[in-house]
Amino acid sequence: MESTKLWHVISLYLSTALVIFRNLLLYILNLNQSPLLTKFMDAILSFYFRLCDLSPCAIDLDEQTTIHFWVANHRRFDKQSLVMVHGYGGNSLWQFLYQVGPLTRKFNVYIPDLLFFGKSYSKSLDRSDLFQAKCLSDGLKRLGVDKFSVYAISYGGFVAYRMAEMYADAVEKVVIVSSGILYTDDQRVEQLRKIGRHPSEILVPKNPDDLRLLVNLSMYKQNSLYWLPDFLLREFITMMYDHCRKEKIELAKHLVEKKADTNLPVLTQETLLIWGDQDKIFPLELAHQLQGHLGSKSRLEIIKDTGHAANMESPDKINKLVISFVSGCSS
C-alpha cells in the first residue's frame, strides 16, 4: 500500500515536471511572440497547485460560458469545502499563492477563475457580479459541491456576497477580505476624486507605470515593483491583462458606475470581514459600515500595517483567521 502511494506521488511529480518542461520548450521556440518569464512562472505556480493536490477543470455551463476551476483531487468527507474567489489583481494562481498550501491541508478547496480572468470566459454581455455569482454557483453544482463556505478578496467579495444571498442553502459561512460592498454615492465620488483616475484604468493597467500605481495603491508596505525592469512588467501585463482586456474594463465600469445599493440584503450566514487598516482602495470606514449592516452574525478583524492586498501582505494572519472561522475553532 505504501509503495503504491509513493509511486502515485512520484508519477504525479514526473508528469507535472514533463508538462512544465514541454511548455518551457514551446515558450523558448516562440520567444518573440510570448511573455516567456511570466508564463514560465505561471507554469511553476500550476505545478505548486498540483502539489497541493488540486487539478484544473473546465466546465461548460452552456454554449456561451466556460468556468475554469482548480478542484480537490480527493474530496474527503471529514473536511469542509471552501471556495476561494480572487479579485482583480490577477487570476486564481497568482492571488492565492500564499493561501493554497495551508488551506488545502484543512479543507476541500475549489478555486475558480472569475469570468474573463484566467481560463474562464463567456460570450454573454452581462457584466454584473450577479452573473458571476450565478456562473460560479452553477459550476460548483456541476462539480457536486452542494455545501461550502466561501473566502473572497476585493472584487471577489462582491461576487461571494451575491452567492451567499442567492444560494443561502448552499453557502455555510462567508469570509470577505477588503471588499467595499456597502457604500454611498457620495463616498464613491469622494474616493474616485482621491484616486484621480477612473478605476478601470488602474485595475486593467496598460503599461508598467500603471501597474506600479496599482500595486502602490494595493500595498502599504514597500512596493517591490519599483526595482523590476519594465520589460518584465510588460510581460505580466500582456499575460494577465491583455487577455479579455475589453471585458475586464467593462466589469470594472459596471461595478464603479452602478448606483449604490440602498437595499443590500443582510446575509443569513455567519460572516467574517477582514480589512487592512491602511487600505487605500476601500477605506476602513466601509468595513465598519458593512459590519454594522450585517449585524450580530458578523465580525470584523482589522490587520495592522496592512493595505488592500491583505492576502499578499499578511497571509499568515489571513490563513489563521480563515481556518479558525470556517472550521469553528477558537483562534
Side-chain angles (χ1 to χ4, degrees):
M1 178 67 73
E2 291 299 324
S3 61
T4 302
K5 289 183 179 179
L6 178 61
W7 175 245
H8 175 75
V9 172
I10 292 173
S11 297
L12 173 65
Y13 288 3
L14 286 175
S15 61
T16 307
L18 287 172
V19 169
I20 292 175
F21 181 68
R22 182 192 66 191
N23 288 338
L24 179 58
L25 287 177
L26 290 174
Y27 298 153
I28 291 173
L29 292 173
N30 294 279
L31 183 58
N32 292 330
Q33 296 86 27
S34 176
L36 171 66
L37 294 177
T38 49
K39 284 202 171 184
F40 181 63
M41 277 301 301
D42 203 65
I44 293 297
L45 293 177
S46 296
F47 176 58
Y48 176 58
F49 270 49
R50 290 177 183 274
L51 292 183
C52 294
D53 205 28
L54 300 176
S55 292
C57 176
I59 299 175
D60 294 327
L61 301 182
D62 51 39
E63 65 275 7
Q64 286 193 313
T65 303
T66 298
I67 297 290
H68 179 269
F69 283 86
W70 285 92
V71 303
N73 285 329
H74 308 287
R75 189 185 310 177
R76 290 180 49 177
F77 293 101
D78 60 338
K79 284 185 175 183
Q80 296 163 288
S81 293
L82 180 66
V83 177
M84 300 164 62
V85 187
H86 66 84
Y88 246 90
N91 57 32
S92 55
L93 283 174
W94 292 78
Q95 285 218 331
F96 291 121
L97 170 62
Y98 299 120
Q99 273 72 66
V100 66
L103 296 184
T104 51
R105 288 194 289 272
K106 295 292 184 179
F107 307 108
N108 296 312
V109 165
Y110 300 86
I111 311 178
D113 285 326
L114 289 169
L115 290 174
F116 312 115
F117 295 84
K119 297 178 181 177
S120 294
Y121 183 76
S122 178
K123 295 178 183 178
S124 170
L125 299 179
D126 194 334
R127 300 292 180 259
S128 68
D129 44 328
L130 284 167
F131 183 63
Q132 293 269 16
K134 182 181 183 303
C135 290
L136 293 195
S137 297
D138 288 350
L140 290 164
K141 287 179 184 176
R142 300 283 184 91
L143 290 169
V145 184
D146 299 319
K147 294 282 187 180
F148 58 90
S149 293
V150 59
Y151 152 51
I153 301 167
S154 193
Y155 173 62
F158 289 82
V159 178
Y161 199 99
R162 296 303 184 186
M163 290 174 71
E165 169 199 340
M166 294 190 295
Y167 305 98
D169 291 340
V171 180
E172 296 178 312
K173 291 185 179 182
V174 180
V175 181
I176 293 175
V177 179
S178 310
S179 187
I181 296 165
L182 187 65
Y183 57 87
T184 67
D185 288 328
D186 289 342
Q187 285 174 320
R188 178 186 59 191
V189 170
E190 176 61 18
Q191 186 63 11
L192 291 177
R193 185 193 65 78
K194 287 180 180 178
I195 294 175
R197 296 174 63 182
H198 195 283
S200 64
E201 298 176 6
I202 300 171
L203 291 172
V204 193
K206 291 182 179 179
N207 56 58
D209 287 339
D210 288 348
L211 183 55
R212 290 187 178 99
L213 175 60
L214 173 61
V215 174
N216 184 54
L217 287 171
S218 300
M219 300 282 195
Y220 171 66
K221 296 161 188 174
Q222 185 176 3
N223 184 347
S224 59
L225 291 192
Y226 283 112
W227 63 268
L228 286 178
D230 283 358
F231 82 90
L232 281 180
L233 301 184
R234 288 194 192 95
E235 281 197 1
F236 185 80
I237 290 168
T238 297
M239 184 186 74
M240 201 67 64
Y241 296 105
D242 286 350
H243 170 66
C244 294
R245 173 175 290 276
K246 175 178 174 290
E247 290 86 352
K248 287 187 178 77
I249 291 173
E250 290 169 352
L251 288 175
K253 287 183 175 179
H254 173 86
L255 195 66
V256 172
E257 295 172 4
K258 70 177 182 178
K259 299 291 287 184
D261 190 348
T262 56
N263 296 307
L264 185 71
V266 176
L267 299 183
T268 59
Q269 297 92 342
E270 291 182 59
T271 303
L272 173 64
L273 306 176
I274 306 175
W275 233 271
D277 67 339
Q278 302 296 325
D279 194 328
K280 291 180 280 189
I281 303 291
F282 294 124
L284 194 55
E285 64 177 316
L286 297 182
H288 290 291
Q289 278 179 210
L290 184 56
Q291 197 275 329
H293 176 76
L294 290 171
S296 60
K297 297 191 79 171
S298 67
R299 171 173 123 226
L300 172 62
E301 292 284 347
I302 300 171
I303 303 179
K304 292 183 178 181
D305 300 325
T306 298
H308 180 70
N311 58 305
M312 304 297 288
E313 289 195 294
S314 300
D316 292 340
K317 292 179 181 178
I318 294 282
N319 294 338
K320 182 180 178 181
L321 287 168
V322 171
I323 291 169
S324 172
F325 176 73
V326 174
S327 64
C329 302
S330 59
S331 57

